[in-house]
Amino acid sequence: MVREKVKVFTRTLQWKCVESRTESKRLYYGRFILSPLMKGQADTIGIAMRRALLGEIEGTCITRAKFEKIPHECSTILGIQESVHEILMNLKEIVLRSNLYGTRDALLCVKGPGYVTAQDIILPPSVEIVDNTQHIANLAESIDLCIGLQIERNRGYNYNIKAPNNFQDRSYPIDAVFMPVRNANYSIHSYGSGNEKQEILFLEIWTNGGLTPKEALHEASRNLIDLFIPFLRAGEENLHLENNQYKVSLPYLTFRDRVDKQKKKKKEIAGKSIFIDQPELSPRIYNCLKKSNIRTLFDLLNRSEDDLMKIEHFRVEDVKQILGILEKK
């Protein structure tokens, strides 16, 4: 555990981590301060940050499991102590840490007898398990247990409705809690008097290990700022409001036209196998592209700049950043 003496900053607005500890592999704690603030500002920031921490941060979870020769979720498997439902609940509790976007496949294949834990899962390169000792099943006999897993990155709570057709391919959806922040609280300390009265904001964050409290604070701050960007750009001359959408006047020029100056057409086929999470794109830009079904480099090259600017929350700076990355590639 790390503790530091709290200091009141009287000149410039600053933040600092005053306490940090790891209570377990799946429970991290951090305490931060922001000061000096004018009267009322601490409450404004505290409310917004708490909501962003609990609702705007993405996490990675197992969202689907596929068993072989299992007729129903409530079935039991000969030689395994747990039922299929109990195994699914154990998979739900596994905490993952990653920077992936979209959906990836993983595999759990173990031969008994013995205990099956999270460390037995074969993961894609961009994913790691926070606690390898998490229990999955107990194989009492010499049998094979093979489960295909689907891993996804998202935010909030994903409730999978278990309709009958979900089980036709023997794959079972798992209710996923993507929120890496378990809890967040804030408190305010006031000092001074009269017109000189100022405030210190104390912010406490608990995470499950998918992110550290410091990383969660950074991610929540960035996501919160992104939500206010349209208001910051409301007065720019190159924007006008029409049908409740911001539009930018840009020349019609596809990304392929730009990139073809530097690359041959024969490389277009390779673009179909290159996913857009490989370049150095920010999570916000990737999320905007993903929502518009732009998942590969080939998809991106066939969109014009006007097409991209029609995407919600997409900015001119984002287009320039993508062009820069593609030109370097």
Side-chain angles (χ1 to χ4, degrees):
M1 184 176 70
V2 179
R3 287 181 178 272
E4 296 186 14
K5 185 177 180 181
V6 178
K7 297 180 180 179
V8 177
F9 303 97
T10 57
R11 292 186 178 179
T12 58
L13 190 64
Q14 299 185 39
W15 76 276
K16 193 172 186 179
C17 177
V18 294
E19 186 176 353
S20 176
R21 64 173 182 264
T22 302
E23 298 185 355
S24 68
K25 290 183 178 181
R26 284 177 278 168
L27 184 59
Y28 289 67
Y29 172 80
R31 190 166 182 247
F32 308 88
I33 63 170
L34 180 66
S35 67
L37 296 166
M38 297 176 62
K39 184 179 179 181
Q41 289 182 337
D43 199 41
T44 301
I45 298 173
I47 294 174
M49 284 302 302
R50 185 176 186 275
R51 293 183 66 90
L53 285 164
L54 295 175
E56 298 295 330
I57 300 180
E58 293 184 340
T60 306
C61 293
I62 299 173
T63 57
R64 187 171 289 271
K66 183 176 182 179
F67 294 79
E68 295 295 334
K69 301 179 181 179
I70 303 299
H72 196 270
E73 181 183 2
C74 298
S75 303
T76 58
I77 306 175
L78 185 63
I80 300 181
Q81 181 175 336
E82 292 82 4
S83 66
V84 174
H85 178 74
E86 290 173 326
I87 294 176
L88 293 175
M89 292 299 100
N90 291 336
L91 291 172
K92 176 182 177 180
E93 296 299 322
I94 293 177
V95 179
L96 300 174
R97 180 183 176 91
S98 79
N99 57 0
L100 71 83
Y101 292 92
T103 302
R104 295 290 187 274
D105 294 326
L107 179 66
L108 174 63
C109 195
V110 182
K111 182 177 181 61
Y115 290 98
V116 182
T117 60
Q119 69 178 353
D120 297 312
I121 300 176
I122 302 174
L123 296 167
S126 57
V127 184
E128 63 181 53
I129 296 174
V130 173
D131 185 4
N132 287 325
T133 64
Q134 285 185 260
H135 177 75
I136 298 176
N138 181 15
L139 307 185
E141 299 179 7
S142 180
I143 62 172
D144 293 330
L145 175 64
C146 289
I147 308 174
L149 303 175
Q150 177 180 290
I151 297 173
E152 182 181 347
R153 182 181 177 89
N154 210 323
R155 68 174 185 171
Y157 179 75
N158 181 26
Y159 177 70
N160 290 298
I161 301 176
K162 299 177 176 60
N165 58 359
N166 285 340
F167 307 114
Q168 290 180 357
D169 61 350
R170 294 190 175 88
S171 68
Y172 303 90
I174 299 175
D175 297 336
V177 181
F178 293 104
M179 298 174 288
V181 177
R182 289 189 172 185
N183 194 15
N185 290 326
Y186 75 94
S187 58
I188 302 171
H189 172 71
S190 300
Y191 63 97
S193 59
N195 295 331
E196 301 295 329
K197 194 170 186 179
Q198 294 181 318
E199 297 177 339
I200 302 176
L201 173 65
F202 290 83
L203 191 62
E204 295 180 291
I205 304 173
W206 291 262
T207 68
N208 63 1
L211 290 176
T212 65
K214 186 176 180 179
E215 290 171 336
L217 183 63
H218 174 78
E219 186 73 15
S221 301
R222 185 173 61 182
N223 292 342
L224 195 60
I225 292 172
D226 287 343
L227 293 175
F228 288 95
I229 287 177
F231 297 106
L232 295 176
R233 303 175 65 235
E236 294 185 6
E237 294 181 356
N238 63 334
L239 293 177
H240 63 276
L241 190 62
E242 179 178 340
N243 297 328
N244 296 325
Q245 290 185 349
Y246 285 102
K247 295 185 178 181
V248 182
S249 299
L250 293 174
Y252 184 83
L253 186 62
T254 64
F255 277 89
R256 178 178 294 175
D257 294 331
R258 295 284 187 91
V259 178
D260 280 351
K261 296 178 181 179
Q262 304 177 21
K263 297 184 178 181
K264 299 294 183 180
K265 189 175 181 180
K266 63 181 180 179
K267 293 187 178 182
E268 293 178 1
I269 299 177
K272 295 181 180 180
S273 60
I274 300 177
F275 292 93
I276 59 175
D277 59 341
Q278 295 185 22
E280 300 82 359
L281 296 177
S282 67
R284 186 186 61 77
I285 295 178
Y286 177 83
N287 286 334
C288 291
L289 296 176
K290 182 177 69 173
K291 290 178 181 178
S292 299
N293 294 321
I294 302 175
R295 299 184 180 276
T296 66
L297 183 61
F298 185 79
D299 297 334
L300 185 59
L301 295 178
N302 283 279
R303 299 294 182 97
S304 69
E305 295 180 0
D306 285 339
D307 292 335
L308 293 181
M309 290 309 305
K310 293 177 182 178
I311 300 175
E312 187 178 4
H313 302 312
F314 220 75
R315 312 188 307 242
V316 178
E317 292 78 7
D318 300 334
V319 176
K320 294 179 180 179
Q321 180 181 346
I322 294 174
L323 283 172
I325 293 174
L326 292 177
E327 290 174 356
K328 291 180 181 179
K329 296 292 182 180

